[in-house]
Amino acid sequence: MNEITYDVVVIGGGPAGMAAALKAADAGASTAIVERNAQLGGILRQCIHPGFGLTYFKEELTGPEYAQRFIDRVEDSPIQVYLGSMVLSIHHDDESGTSDVVFMSETGMVTLTAHAVVLAMGCRERTRSEIKIPGSRPAGVFTAGLAQRYINIENLKPGSRFVILGSGDIGLIMARRLALEGFEVEGVYELMPYANGLHRNVKNCLEDFGIPLHLSTTVTRVIGKNRVEAVEVSQVDEQLHPIEGAQRTIPCDALLLSVGLIPENEVSAAAGVKLNPRTRGAVVDESLETTVPGIFSCGNVLHVHDLADNVTREAERAGAAAAAYAAGTLAATSESVPINAGGIASYVVPARLTRGEAAKLFFRVRRPVTRAHVRITVDGATALEGKPRSFIPSIMESFPLPAKLAAAAKESIEISVIEEDDDHE
């Protein structure tokens, strides 16, 4: 088994992994990327639609164009890239402080010893089995991302008449893509009473193409023997239960699922990294360090982002912190102070404070609200409040935690989104 040592090993060669590796290399760290696919770029290679780079590059790019800018930089850097390499395990040695990253490649088993590791494996789509749609199991049921790959990369036709379940961004984008290819999109069906994708995608991908969005409606049965022949859809009540007698059958030959993303954290959990049950991503501190010393996490494997630009910026922070850790210049950790989410905030990243430093707190709300404000509580006392405004679940929000408050926290920090009507204090 080959054994090589690097300052920083990044697992994943998508936008997060490349950004983290480049930042680590810029800091002078010997750096490697381990990527299971045959090319760098990750999911962006099949995202041929525009909308990328607006905040990071200040211009609009397609997914492949955005990814290529980082691929070019990686190729011009001293970063070692291992393609076609599947990471099997990460073993952290408390005594030496290093981690062994073991992966399988065409040449056999390889072990990279790293002074710091960055987890950047991205996420996967939830499948039919995970949302338990009843009915037969014919061909023609795809995740939206798989259908996107078939059309954009493989030049294959997944069907002719489509029903899309879920109004996540990839489902909305695929509705437009299918329409542009001349396929019939009967409609997009969403369990919740609001769209889960960005407003711009609802407008640009559905409304501009005359594709209907059916809220508070879900697929309750798949019909067909060898191939999908139809689906049954049902309206749901406030508890999201199907309403008896509110079903109808829609003829179609393909069902696309856009019902959420799950961070790829099986290897992380096996390495002892504590996961947040809400996000399924790692519990990290303000330096994006996990509960295992020297292992950092960023991008969609940490929490699902709305924009690739945000992934890049977060990954750069992780790469810089990993390089500093490898060099021994990252400040020693103090006793961990938990950061909790309250009100209608569903989660917060980072979820702990270990260095008492200023941080930007990222969060999402559980449901849309027209008027609410952010409240920061330190050790049970209100320390900071934002101005009232609207919030929606599809947008990842952020709020600054000043250094003064971070340093003062001894027991806990909470970031809450408080609805104005519910705030009686």
Side-chain angles (χ1 to χ4, degrees):
M1 183 182 292
N2 299 322
E3 296 188 16
I4 312 168
T5 300
Y6 293 94
D7 292 328
V8 177
V9 171
V10 179
I11 304 175
M18 290 189 291
L22 286 164
K23 203 67 174 181
D26 288 346
S30 59
T31 306
I33 295 174
V34 183
E35 167 56 46
R36 66 185 177 187
N37 291 323
Q39 304 93 11
L40 293 172
I43 196 68
L44 293 190
R45 294 183 60 250
Q46 68 185 53
C47 299
I48 64 174
H49 52 277
F52 298 88
L54 290 169
T55 62
Y56 191 84
F57 289 112
K58 307 303 180 186
E59 60 179 301
E60 188 172 36
L61 305 170
T62 64
E65 289 172 330
Y66 187 92
Q68 193 62 48
R69 296 202 176 187
F70 291 95
I71 293 171
D72 292 343
R73 288 181 57 194
V74 169
E75 291 177 346
D76 290 339
S77 76
I79 297 170
Q80 179 65 48
V81 179
Y82 297 87
L83 297 174
S85 301
M86 172 67 76
V87 173
L88 304 177
S89 62
I90 305 170
H91 302 286
H92 180 73
D93 187 333
D94 290 330
E95 186 174 339
S96 67
T98 61
S99 297
D100 286 341
V101 177
V102 181
F103 64 87
M104 174 66 77
S105 70
E106 290 184 355
T107 60
M109 297 283 284
V110 179
T111 297
L112 304 183
T113 298
H115 294 284
V117 174
V118 178
L119 306 172
M121 295 89 74
C123 57
R124 65 177 183 270
E125 296 176 278
R126 294 178 71 199
T127 63
R128 175 184 175 180
S129 63
E130 289 171 301
I131 61 174
K132 299 179 173 59
I133 301 176
S136 55
R137 302 185 63 84
V141 180
F142 308 93
T143 62
L146 178 59
Q148 184 184 58
R149 178 177 179 84
Y150 281 165
I151 294 173
N152 293 349
I153 302 292
E154 308 293 344
N155 196 31
L156 297 174
K157 178 183 177 181
S160 298
R161 189 169 197 259
F162 293 80
V163 166
I164 299 177
L165 176 61
S167 61
D169 287 313
I170 187 171
L172 302 178
I173 289 166
M174 278 308 296
R176 176 180 63 185
R177 186 76 180 97
L178 294 168
L180 288 170
E181 287 293 333
F183 302 134
E184 183 179 357
V185 183
E186 193 283 334
V188 175
Y189 294 82
E190 170 56 53
L191 176 69
M192 303 304 291
Y194 52 83
N196 273 303
L198 295 172
H199 176 73
R200 75 182 190 196
N201 286 332
V202 174
K203 173 67 171 62
N204 296 341
C205 300
L206 298 188
E207 295 176 7
D208 288 358
F209 287 82
I211 300 170
L213 171 62
H214 305 272
L215 300 176
S216 298
T217 310
T218 190
V219 172
T220 46
R221 189 159 62 100
V222 176
I223 302 167
K225 185 176 181 181
N226 296 320
R227 176 81 191 193
V228 173
E229 298 171 6
V231 296
E232 177 190 83
V233 299
S234 302
Q235 291 182 312
V236 299
D237 58 23
E238 293 181 356
Q239 286 72 46
L240 307 182
H241 298 143
I243 300 171
E244 188 65 32
Q247 296 84 21
R248 63 189 179 98
T249 300
I250 303 170
C252 63
D253 65 356
L255 171 65
L256 265 56
L257 305 178
S258 177
V259 290
L261 302 169
I262 301 173
E264 294 268 18
N265 268 309
E266 287 71 21
V267 170
S268 311
V273 171
K274 182 179 179 181
L275 302 183
N276 182 322
R278 173 64 184 175
T279 63
R280 299 200 194 184
V283 172
V284 297
D285 65 9
E286 67 270 39
S287 298
L288 300 175
E289 186 176 18
T290 70
T291 52
V292 177
I295 298 182
F296 300 78
S297 182
C298 62
N300 284 343
V301 78
L302 177 59
H303 58 133
V304 177
H305 290 61
D306 48 1
L307 300 173
D309 304 59
N310 292 335
V311 166
T312 298
R313 289 196 173 90
E314 182 177 86
E316 288 178 337
R317 290 171 48 220
Y325 183 94
T329 58
L330 191 66
T333 59
S334 61
E335 187 174 344
S336 179
V337 175
I339 305 176
N340 302 311
I344 62 168
S346 61
Y347 73 86
V348 58
V349 172
R352 63 192 188 112
L353 203 68
T354 63
R355 295 177 171 86
E357 299 175 348
K360 184 175 285 190
L361 306 181
F362 294 89
F363 63 94
R364 288 183 190 266
V365 293
R366 298 179 187 275
R367 53 183 171 81
V369 59
T370 56
R371 186 175 173 82
H373 67 272
V374 175
R375 174 183 296 165
I376 301 290
T377 302
V378 176
D379 297 339
T382 299
L384 194 62
E385 292 193 284
K387 295 180 179 179
R389 61 181 184 84
S390 63
F391 294 86
I392 55 176
S394 60
I395 294 181
M396 187 177 73
E397 304 280 356
S398 66
F399 199 85
L401 177 69
K404 183 178 180 180
L405 296 183
K410 303 300 181 185
E411 298 177 0
S412 68
I413 296 171
E414 181 174 277
I415 180 167
S416 301
V417 178
I418 308 296
E419 287 189 80
E420 293 290 300
D421 291 342
D422 292 342
D423 187 5
H424 302 298
E425 298 183 9

